Amino acid sequence: MIHLKNIKNQLPNEMNAIFSELNVLKFLRQTSICKQKGYSPAIIFTFLFSLVFKGKTLNQVLSGREADQYMKKDTVYRLMNDPHNNWRSFLLRFSASVIEKIHRLTDPSTHLRTLVLDDSTFYRNRSQKVPGLARLWDHALQKGYKGYRMLTLGFSDGYSFIPIDFGLLSGKNQVNQKQAESDQRTSGAKRFKEAQRSMPDVAIEMVQRALDQGVYASHVLMDKWFTSPKMIDRLHDLGIHTLGMAKNGKTQYFYQRRLYKLSELYQKSIKEYCQEAIISSIIVQPSSGKTPVKIVFVKNRNNQSAWLALMTDDLTLSSQEIVKTYSVRWDIETFFKVSKSLLHLSQEPQTRNYQALICHTTIVFTRYILLSWQQRCANDERTLGGLFYELADQIKELDWSVALLELMDILQAVSEKASHKLQDFIESQLQLWIDTLPNYIKAYLPNLVCET
């Protein structure tokens, strides 16, 4: 096994190059994520980042037979549990830097740059003492669970999705209501306070932080849970448009000086025949909002006799552009699937600390960003899942290749200290061994030669 001093070499070759290209570790230093002594945060961060490609959890690696080659478990958890580490600032700065690079690869005249807002489940069913742990409802599986709601904000240009910010939010039915940190001035304590707040308020602050960080986007895409006249007004005040699916509920809208519900507006809307999916559209004024909106009615694929309504405050968009832009929202669903199925979201850490969950989730988001960037740069036809498995296979090959190189270094170091006669014997035997290696090993290790 490779010693921890060469931990960066345990990354897959392609991922190691992207680590340097995107200056991942530079953003750790910029956000003052540090330790007083011992292993540096860069080494521990890289170690945690690479776990998923090894196919092992943190506990399996640090409790296995090679545990003496790594740092102790307490060393890792001290970094993860430290409430002073501002992981949100790190993720914001890093994602904004990658998005800026992506802007150069996208033609703004053909693709809208959007922010995507959604929430997903964060299961912790076996936990009891994690602060803020709550009993929540999974609407997709129609069952209850213990954990958090992971509110996520990401950027998409129709090709790549980059997660920007997240919050692990609690609920009313909390299992454990104790405070996460005693010092309320720390970043960890502020994140925990955020977990007790309403989801719309946290979402607005996420969008504000992204815009302040320099992330350029023209629209915020969201599903019907978030879309409301009040939400549209608040985002409009931030200088960004909203595009989401409208609820067929009790909300009323002014049309020709009369109030109508959404189902009634469907009968009043103007029919369109330019596209099969689009039924009709109408411009109205919400009774509980100050911003006029355009509503486009489209066919429901799951029920041909039913319809869905897309709502936006950008009145300059055509119905076709509204439908095309809203389809980009699916990128965040793909992100949730990949993060949970492949990148071990909520599965790796065995911890009772809320700040450690924040740290772990940030690392998972970083993994996805690097995979997304690699796929984008190579114009890769492989899915993120296929790309992930190839990198996981590559790191298995990398272990024995680096180990062979270290063995060579040891033999050459012994040879240099030996007598000339013994040195010649060692070098001749080593060269003979190299000559008998299979060709695929020689091809993978082109520098495996003996100096004479």
Side-chain angles (χ1 to χ4, degrees):
M1 193 68 186
I2 303 94
H3 193 270
L4 189 62
K5 67 180 180 180
N6 293 323
I7 193 69
K8 286 187 67 176
N9 293 331
Q10 294 193 60
L11 288 171
N13 288 336
E14 297 176 41
M15 196 61 70
N16 198 4
I18 297 175
F19 237 69
S20 300
E21 179 186 0
L22 298 182
N23 294 319
V24 178
L25 301 180
K26 179 188 75 172
F27 293 99
L28 282 177
R29 297 189 295 270
Q30 286 184 353
T31 50
S32 300
I33 294 177
C34 58
K35 289 173 75 271
Q36 292 183 350
K37 59 181 180 179
Y39 292 102
S40 69
I43 291 179
I44 299 175
F45 181 89
T46 309
F47 166 69
L48 292 171
F49 179 93
S50 64
L51 284 178
V52 69
F53 300 103
K54 300 176 185 297
K56 296 181 180 179
T57 64
L58 177 63
N59 185 62
Q60 288 172 336
V61 172
L62 297 185
S63 302
R65 56 189 178 86
E66 295 98 1
D68 58 333
Q69 302 292 333
Y70 296 95
M71 72 282 284
K72 299 300 182 182
K73 187 181 297 185
D74 290 346
T75 303
V76 178
Y77 279 112
R78 267 195 296 271
L79 178 71
M80 298 180 69
N81 295 348
D82 190 346
H84 297 89
N85 291 334
N86 194 342
W87 293 106
R88 167 165 282 157
S89 178
F90 162 75
L91 184 60
L92 273 172
R93 291 171 182 238
F94 176 54
S95 59
S97 173
V98 176
I99 291 170
E100 184 179 356
K101 295 177 182 294
I102 286 178
H103 282 334
R104 304 169 191 166
L105 307 177
T106 307
D107 184 0
S109 63
T110 58
H111 285 84
L112 292 173
R113 297 165 178 174
T114 62
L115 297 177
V116 188
L117 183 68
D118 202 0
D119 68 301
S120 184
T121 57
F122 192 95
Y123 277 70
R124 302 295 292 177
N125 280 328
R126 299 178 62 184
S127 299
Q128 293 290 341
K129 298 183 179 180
V130 182
L133 195 69
R135 298 188 183 276
L136 302 167
W137 182 255
D138 188 339
H139 295 279
L141 300 179
Q142 293 297 305
K143 68 175 185 179
Y145 71 96
K146 282 194 302 183
Y148 304 92
R149 301 297 300 178
M150 187 179 71
L151 179 63
T152 305
L153 180 71
F155 169 87
S156 178
D157 61 352
Y159 291 109
S160 303
F161 180 84
I162 304 296
I164 297 174
D165 199 356
F166 71 92
L168 298 181
L169 307 186
S170 185
K172 296 181 181 179
N173 301 321
Q174 291 191 14
V175 178
N176 188 0
Q177 299 182 2
K178 72 175 184 179
Q179 294 291 323
E181 306 295 339
S182 57
D183 188 352
Q184 299 302 303
R185 299 169 298 177
T186 62
S187 299
K190 293 176 181 177
R191 292 293 288 262
F192 184 72
K193 285 182 180 179
E194 178 185 84
Q196 320 303 318
R197 300 174 57 200
S198 67
M199 204 174 296
D201 291 340
V202 177
I204 293 294
E205 291 182 359
M206 284 185 177
V207 175
Q208 179 69 73
R209 280 193 295 268
L211 296 178
D212 291 343
Q213 192 62 41
V215 177
Y216 171 74
S218 57
H219 295 75
V220 179
L221 309 183
M222 58 186 70
D223 62 8
K224 64 175 64 178
W225 197 96
F226 294 95
T227 307
S228 67
K230 291 184 179 179
M231 191 74 168
I232 292 175
D233 287 343
R234 296 177 70 180
L235 290 172
H236 188 81
D237 292 339
L238 296 180
I240 190 168
H241 292 295
T242 304
L243 175 53
M245 187 172 290
K247 302 176 186 177
N248 188 11
K250 298 180 180 180
T251 304
Q252 294 184 317
Y253 305 86
F254 281 106
Y255 178 66
Q256 296 180 347
R257 299 183 180 181
R258 292 188 60 182
L259 285 172
Y260 298 93
K261 292 182 180 179
L262 192 62
S263 57
E264 297 171 332
L265 285 176
Y266 175 69
Q267 304 298 329
K268 300 286 184 180
S269 58
I270 302 173
K271 305 299 179 182
E272 297 189 11
Y273 303 98
C274 52
Q275 188 175 337
E276 292 183 0
I278 299 174
I279 302 174
S280 57
S281 63
I282 191 172
I283 296 177
V284 296
Q285 174 70 48
S287 61
S288 57
K290 60 183 181 181
T291 307
V293 296
K294 181 176 181 178
I295 301 176
V296 177
F297 296 94
V298 297
K299 293 180 181 179
N300 188 343
R301 292 182 179 179
N302 299 324
N303 185 357
Q304 292 297 323
S305 61
W307 48 264
L308 301 172
L310 302 180
M311 180 189 299
T312 180
D313 62 332
D314 188 356
L315 306 183
T316 63
L317 293 180
S318 65
S319 299
Q320 294 90 340
E321 290 173 329
I322 290 174
V323 173
K324 179 182 178 181
T325 303
Y326 186 75
S327 65
V328 175
R329 199 198 71 83
W330 187 253
D331 288 351
I332 198 170
E333 302 292 351
T334 303
F335 163 72
F336 289 144
K337 177 65 176 177
V338 172
S339 297
K340 294 178 181 180
S341 300
L342 301 180
L343 303 184
H344 294 178
L345 179 66
S346 78
Q347 297 174 11
E348 271 181 1
Q350 298 179 3
T351 179
R352 299 175 181 176
N353 190 288
Y354 182 82
Q355 177 69 3
L357 295 180
I358 295 292
C359 172
H360 161 71
T361 307
T362 303
I363 292 174
V364 171
F365 280 33
T366 306
R367 291 169 181 165
Y368 189 93
I369 292 173
L370 266 69
L371 286 173
S372 183
W373 174 252
Q374 182 180 8
Q375 186 187 41
R376 179 62 175 270
C377 287
N379 197 15
D380 212 324
E381 296 181 356
R382 294 173 293 181
T383 63
L384 285 176
L387 188 60
F388 166 79
Y389 285 121
E390 289 192 23
L391 291 173
D393 291 339
Q394 187 183 121
I395 202 170
K396 294 177 183 177
E397 297 176 348
L398 194 62
D399 282 344
W400 60 258
S401 65
V402 176
L404 281 177
L405 286 174
E406 289 203 347
L407 177 61
M408 291 284 294
D409 292 339
I410 293 173
L411 290 175
Q412 289 182 355
V414 172
S415 175
E416 291 174 358
K417 296 180 180 179
S419 62
H420 290 291
K421 185 176 181 179
L422 182 58
Q423 184 176 1
D424 292 340
F425 175 76
I426 293 175
E427 290 181 354
S428 62
Q429 292 298 314
L430 188 58
Q431 189 64 54
L432 180 64
W433 172 69
I434 292 173
D435 294 338
T436 59
L437 288 175
N439 288 332
Y440 77 93
I441 295 182
K442 293 180 180 179
Y444 194 83
L445 300 173
N447 295 325
L448 197 58
V449 294
C450 182
E451 297 180 0
T452 57

